[in-house]
Amino acid sequence: MNDKQILPDVLTGPKAWWVAALIFIFPATALVISKASSTTFALLALTGIVYGLFYPSRAPLLRDEKILLFSMVFFFLVALLSYLLSDMGTIGFSHVGFKKLGRYLRFLLFIPIYLVVRRIQHSEGIWWSGIATGGILAGLLGLFVVIGGDQAGLYSSRVGGVTNPILFGDISLTMAFMSLGGWHYFRERGKFWLMVPILGFVLGNVAAILSGARGAWLAYPAFALLLLLVAARQLKTAHRLGIAAGLALFLFGSYFIPQTGMGLRIDQLAAEVVDAFHNKASLGSIGLRLQMWTAAFHVFMEHPILGAGVGGYIQGVKDLVDDGQMLDLFLRYNHPHNEYLLVMASRGLLGLVSLALLFGVPLKHFLWAIRHRDPFIRNLAFAGIALIIGYMHFALTEAILDRTMPITFYAFCLAAIYGLLRARERYLLNSPVQRKKTLSVIIIAKNEADRIGPCLESVKGWAEEIVVLDSGSTDTTVSIAKKYTDKVFKTDWPGFGIQKQRALEKATCEWVLSLDADEVVSDELRNEIDSELTEKPAYDGYRVPRPIIVFGKQLDYGVSWQAPIRLCERKKSRFTDAPVHEKIVISGGKITTMRGALFHETYRDYGHALEKYNQYAWLQASARWGSGRRSSLIGAFLRALFNFFHNFIGKAGFLDGQHGFLMACLNAQYTFHKYAVLWAKKAEGKT
C-alpha cells in the first residue's frame, strides 16, 4: 500500500521536495549565513499558506494539535495585549513595541508551517541531516575564528556567528544534542553514516564552548540527563557509563584548554557567585543580573495580573535610577536577562501562563511520544524535549524570546519536529497490520436499538468474538445484535460493574475490548490495537480516549477525551463492582494510553442528557452514602462551582464554544445533585 492510498492529502513530488528542502536549509544555515533563518522561515510559512489555500488537507486536527496551535495563538494575543497596554502610561505605541510584536508574529506563522510539514511522509532524514549539518558548520566556524580568524581579521575571544555569542552558544548547544536524535536513522544506513550525528554533536558542543555563553552551560546537566535516560532504554550499563565519562572528559578538557576561554570565564563566574553569596556589591555578570532581576520583580509586584506593558521594565528601572536605588548603567539594558521575569514584568501572571503553555504543551506530548513503540517517533520526541528544556534553561539568564533569532529557531524547529512526528504517527495509525493476539469485544446494552448498530458495525469482521449482554430491552436491540454475533445473552440488571464483569467472564479470547453501545471504534484505533497486540505486547492494559459527540458536535476539550482503560489482557483483568463509573483493574500490569479514539455519541437529545446525569448522580450519591460520605449544601454548591471552572477554564472547555459551556454546566449540575443528595439524606435523618 503506498502513501497516497493511505493518506490522500499527503504532499508528493516537487511540492513535498520543496518543503523538505526548506526543512534542511533552516537548521543547516541558521548560525552561519546572515538572514538565512528569517528568509527560510518566511518561505516555508508562505508555502504553508499557499498549499493550504490551493491544496487543502482533509485530515482533521487532533485535540493535542489544536491545543498546540492554541498555545501559539495565546502567546501572541497576550503579547498583543501587552503592546496595547503599553500606551497606558509607559512607552506608548512605539517602534520598539511594534518591533517586539513583529517578533512574536512568528508564533502565528508557526501554524501554516506546522500544517504543511505534517503532510509530508518519510522526511525525518531531511531533518536529521539539516540539524546535524547546522551543528557541524557552527563548530567549524568557531574553530576557524579561533584558530585562523585572526589572520583573516575575524578573530574574537568569543564566537558569535551571524548573531551574538550568547545566542550562538545557546542554539549551537541545542543543535548538538538534537543531532543525536538522528542516531537510529543514520545507523540504518550504515556505520559510516553515524559520523553525521557524532560530528553534529561534537562540533555543536565545540561551538557552544567557543561562544563563551555561560548561560548555555546551565542546560548541560539537563541535556546530559536526558541523553542518559534515553540511552538507558537501549544501551548496557557499561555503554551508559562510557557516555557519561565522555561528556565529563569533554567538559574538563574544555576547561583546561586555554584557547577555549572556558576556564577563565568559569573562574570569573565562581568569583561572582561567591561575592553574591557574601552580599558583596559586584558589577560582574551575576551582580548585574541580580539587580536587574530585583527590578523586574518589583515591576511585577506593582502590576501582577497583566503586567506593566512592553516598556514596563524599562520604566521601572528609570524610576529606580531616579530614586537612587540603581546605577545609570542599568539604563543600557532593555530587558532583565531573564525571560520569566521579563514576561512577569511586562505581561504579568497572564504572560507567565502563556509562556508555561508555550513550553509545557509540546513538552507534554513529547514526553508521551518518547515512550512510543516506533523508534522514529521516539527520536523526534527526543529532539523536541532537547529543544524545550534547552530554552527553559536559557530563559533563566537571557530574555531568550525577546530576540528575533531564538524566536525564529524555536518556532521553526518545534513546527518541524512536531509536524514530522505527527506525519509519522498518521502513517502508522492508517497502516493496517496483522494482529497477533485474539480479541473479544464485550458490550452491555438495554434499549439501544437506535445506537448499537454503528457500534457493532465498527468491529464486525475485525474482532474474533463479540459478546453482548442485554438486560431486558423492549425494543429491537437483541435482534440487531444477533445480526452481528451469536453470543447474545439476556440477563437481569445488577449494576454497571457487575454486568460488565459478567460480560468479561463470557469472553474467551486473549484480549478484551470493552465498549458501550453508543461508542464507535475508529479506523485509527483498530490499526493501533492490531499493531500493539504483537506476539509480546509491551503493556497489559490500554487507556482509550473517548471524544464525546453531543448535540451534533464533537467536543475536544472540557469533559471530552477522557481515557479509561478499555483494552486489557483478559486473564489479568476484572471490573470493579461499582454501580456506576465502574473501572477495569489490572493485576500487576503496565498501562499506557492509546492515540486512536472511541467516538462516543453520549446523548440522544437534551432530555436524555438530563435523565442520564440525574441517574448517575443518584447512583453515585447512594454509593457514597453507603460508604459513610456526607456533605453540606454549601459544600455541594462549592464543588459544583469548582467543577464548572475546572472543565470550562482549566480543561479549556471554552474552546468548544457554546457546546463546551453547556457541557460544563451539565457536569456542574451533576456534581451539585450528587452532593445535594447526601445533604438531603442527612436532613431527612436517614442512616
Side-chain angles (χ1 to χ4, degrees), residues 375-388:
F376 291 96
I377 288 181
R378 291 199 304 269
N379 295 332
L380 286 167
F382 170 85
I385 295 173
L387 174 70
I388 295 170

Side-chain angles (χ1 to χ4, degrees), residues 648-670:
F648 192 65
I649 304 297
K651 299 179 74 173
F654 63 90
L655 293 177
D656 283 319
Q658 296 179 356
H659 290 71
F661 176 77
L662 182 59
M663 288 305 300
C665 290
L666 284 172
N667 272 270
Q669 184 182 37
Y670 156 75

Side-chain angles (χ1 to χ4, degrees), residues 7-21:
L7 297 170
D9 68 322
V10 166
L11 297 173
T12 58
K15 291 192 290 292
W17 280 109
W18 170 247
V19 174

Side-chain angles (χ1 to χ4, degrees), residues 176-189:
F177 277 90
M178 285 199 294
S179 296
L180 292 179
W183 185 272
H184 179 269
Y185 172 82
F186 288 109
R187 185 178 61 185
E188 284 193 339
R189 277 140 189 84

Side-chain angles (χ1 to χ4, degrees), residues 48-85:
I49 293 171
V50 171
Y51 285 7
L53 291 174
F54 295 99
Y55 312 101
S57 172
R58 296 191 295 274
L61 292 171
L62 290 183
R63 175 177 179 266
D64 287 344
E65 295 176 288
K66 293 178 182 179
I67 294 177
L68 173 67
L69 300 187
F70 168 76
S71 69
M72 299 293 159
V73 174
F74 185 66
F75 188 88
F76 175 79
L77 291 178
V78 173
L80 176 61
L81 180 62
S82 170
Y83 175 62
L84 296 176
L85 289 178

Side-chain angles (χ1 to χ4, degrees), residues 515-571:
L515 299 179
D516 291 340
D518 55 2
E519 294 174 340
V520 173
V521 180
S522 65
D523 294 339
E524 292 83 0
L525 180 59
R526 284 199 299 269
N527 292 334
E528 188 176 10
I529 289 175
D530 289 343
S531 62
E532 288 288 341
L533 298 187
T534 60
E535 293 289 353
K536 293 183 178 180
Y539 298 90
D540 303 288
Y542 294 85
R543 301 183 183 277
V544 181
R546 296 196 312 158
I548 65 175
I549 301 171
V550 294
F551 315 124
K553 179 180 179 179
Q554 177 184 314
L555 304 188
D556 287 318
Y557 309 98
V559 299
S560 191
W561 284 88
Q562 295 178 356
I565 299 174
R566 288 300 191 89
L567 179 66
C568 58
E569 190 173 357
R570 179 174 59 85
K571 292 183 178 180

Side-chain angles (χ1 to χ4, degrees), residues 589-664:
K590 296 189 298 181
I591 301 170
T592 190
T593 302
M594 308 194 92
R595 292 284 285 174
L598 278 175
F599 294 108
H600 186 205
E601 193 161 0
T602 314
Y603 313 116
R604 295 181 175 91
D605 52 37
Y606 191 75
H608 182 223
L610 293 175
E611 178 185 347
K612 198 168 183 178
Y613 271 116
N614 288 336
Q615 178 190 11
Y616 283 179
W618 179 260
L619 291 173
Q620 278 273 49
S622 298
R624 293 182 180 220
W625 179 266
S627 63
R629 294 284 298 274
R630 301 294 184 265
S631 177
S632 64
L633 203 56
I634 188 64
F637 171 77
L638 292 176
R639 287 176 184 271
L641 191 63
F642 174 80
N643 181 273
F644 174 83
F645 282 103
H646 175 66
N647 285 317
F648 192 65
I649 304 297
K651 299 179 74 173
F654 63 90
L655 293 177
D656 283 319
Q658 296 179 356
H659 290 71
F661 176 77
L662 182 59
M663 288 305 300

